[in-house]
Amino acid sequence: MTDAAVFRETTAELRTQALPLAHVSLELGHLSMEDFEAGPERLRKHLARVRPWADTARTVATAGGRRPRVSTCFLVDEYCTSCATPAALLPVLLAEAERAGLVIDYLARESGCAVADGVPVAEGVQARLVESPPPGSDGSRPPVGQTGWLANGRRTPGARTAAAMADAADWQPPAETTARRHSVFLDAELWDERDGQRVWSCSFLAAVWQLARLGLLRHLGEPVLQPVQWTVGEDFPNDWDALPPVTRLNPSAAPFSAYRTCSVLPSRLLPVEHAVRVVLDQVDVEPHALNQVRERALRECLPVPEEISDRISYVFHEGP
C-alpha cells in the first residue's frame, strides 16, 4: 500500500483568529493636527468635556451587575497633514489626560487605518463593500469601486437633455432607501486621487477604525490593527511611522476590541460619523469574525445587535 498525495487549496488552510473582547471601546478623542497645534488649552477643554461622558459610559457598561471591561482609545489624524512629532505631541496629550482624570489605554494613528504593517487595510474594506440597490435602480451608475462614492439611497437622476433640465416635471428628488416618511439622503466620498495616488477620506478611515474596535477586521484570517505594547517610560519617536498603528500605553488595559463602541467627539465630526454609518451598513463583514463575536456574546449572555452600525454610539459635545 502506497501513501497517496493529498492536495489542499491554500484557502482551505486559513483559520480566522479570534480576539479577546472588552464590553465597550470608549474613544476619548479623534483630533487633527490643527487641534494639537492650538496648544494644551484646546486639549484641556476637550478632555474636560469628555470626562463626564466617559464616567457615564462606564456606568452604563455595569448594567446587569457585571464587572465592566472598558478600554479607552484616542485617534490622532496624521494621515493627510504634516505635523509635529510624536515626541513633541504625545507627552502633552497624556499629561492633559491625566490632569482630566482620564487614562488613554490605546493610541492609534489614522494612517494605520489605510495601511498597517504592509497590509492595505482600507483597500480590503473597500473590496467588501456591497452597495444596497435602491428601488427602481437600473444599474446605469458605475459601482462604488469605480466612482469612490457611496450613497444610502437613490440619487437624483441626471438630466439627459437641455429640454429635460428646463422641465421641472422631469426632476426627481433623491430618496433614502430606509427612510421613515422623509428622507435624509447622504452621498459620501470615500476617496479621491492625487498625483495618481488614492487618498482615503476621513469618513472611510473612520469606518475602518470602527470595524477594528469591534474586532471585525481580518487579513488572510489574521486580525489587523492590533495593539503593540509600548515600554512604559520609553521616549516617543520623532517619526510617526516609527510608532505602531495602534499602541498599547496601559499594560493593564482591557482588550482593545469590544462588543460595542462609544465615541465622545466634537460636534463638527457629526457629518463624518453619519457617513461612517452609511459605510458600515454596506460592508460585507468577514462571516467567521462575525460568528466568533456572536458566539462569545452568547457565552457571556450579552445582547449584541445584528447590524454593525447599531453596535456603535456617540456623544457629540460642543466646541471645536
Side-chain angles (χ1 to χ4, degrees):
M1 183 176 179
T2 59
D3 293 334
V6 178
F7 297 92
R8 296 184 178 88
E9 293 187 14
T10 303
T11 54
E13 301 295 330
L14 293 178
R15 295 292 183 271
T16 301
Q17 182 178 331
L19 290 172
L21 296 170
H23 293 124
V24 178
S25 165
L26 177 61
E27 184 175 9
L28 303 178
H30 177 169
L31 300 185
S32 66
M33 285 306 120
E34 289 79 4
D35 294 307
F36 287 102
E37 289 168 356
E41 184 64 25
R42 172 77 66 86
L43 286 174
R44 192 170 304 148
K45 288 181 178 179
H46 168 77
L47 293 168
R49 294 186 182 107
V50 167
R51 173 60 193 270
W53 298 110
D55 292 342
T56 300
R58 290 182 183 277
T59 300
V60 171
T62 63
R66 70 177 67 90
R67 182 180 179 182
R69 300 192 302 273
V70 179
S71 62
T72 62
C73 57
F74 199 102
L75 184 65
V76 176
D77 178 6
E78 37 64 80
Y79 177 59
C80 286
T81 57
S82 58
C83 54
T85 67
L89 292 184
L90 298 186
V92 177
L93 171 62
L94 297 181
E96 291 300 332
E98 183 178 7
R99 176 175 178 155
L102 295 166
V103 176
I104 299 175
D105 295 327
Y106 300 96
L107 179 84
R109 298 188 290 111
E110 189 170 67
S111 61
C113 297
V115 178
D117 301 319
V119 175
V121 185
E123 186 177 310
V125 174
Q126 180 265 309
R128 301 192 73 92
L129 288 175
V130 180
E131 291 180 271
S132 302
S137 174
D138 60 7
S140 60
R141 183 179 176 88
V144 60
Q146 294 180 27
T147 65
W149 287 81
L150 185 69
N152 65 347
R154 186 190 68 232
R155 300 170 173 92
T156 298
R160 291 183 293 276
T161 65
M165 293 175 65
D167 188 353
D170 288 335
W171 181 81
Q172 295 181 30
E176 181 186 2
T177 300
T178 59
R180 296 182 179 180
R181 177 74 180 173
H182 296 95
S183 289
V184 180
F185 179 79
L186 180 72
D187 204 355
E189 186 177 24
L190 307 187
W191 68 81
D192 62 12
E193 301 283 342
R194 299 181 190 175
D195 301 324
Q197 295 284 331
R198 176 172 292 186
V199 180
W200 301 97
S201 71
C202 181
S203 300
F204 191 69
L205 293 181
V208 175
W209 171 234
Q210 288 286 356
L211 290 170
R213 293 169 62 200
L214 289 169
L216 297 175
L217 286 182
R218 299 292 187 279
H219 176 71
L220 301 178
E222 297 291 325
V224 296
L225 281 178
Q226 288 304 290
V228 175
Q229 179 65 53
W230 191 259
T231 302
V232 177
E234 183 177 346
D235 292 336
F236 291 108
N238 288 314
D239 188 340
W240 287 99
D241 288 338
L243 200 67
V246 180
T247 302
R248 180 173 180 164
L249 300 173
N250 178 9
S252 59
F256 167 66
S257 298
Y259 294 112
R260 297 173 184 265
T261 70
C262 179
S263 299
V264 186
L265 303 171
S267 57
R268 60 183 165 81
L269 292 179
L270 195 154
V272 170
E273 298 303 329
H274 184 189
V276 166
R277 296 182 69 90
V278 170
V279 172
L280 294 181
D281 283 338
Q282 299 181 70
V283 173
D284 180 24
V285 177
E286 207 282 328
H288 294 294
L290 275 176
N291 287 335
Q292 287 171 349
V293 173
R294 186 181 299 113
E295 291 169 1
R296 189 182 292 263
L298 286 173
R299 290 197 297 270
E300 292 200 56
C301 299
L302 289 172
V304 175
E306 283 296 318
E307 297 295 329
I308 301 304
S309 58
D310 290 338
R311 301 181 190 184
I312 66 178
S313 62
Y314 300 95
V315 173
F316 292 102
H317 63 71
E318 64 181 5

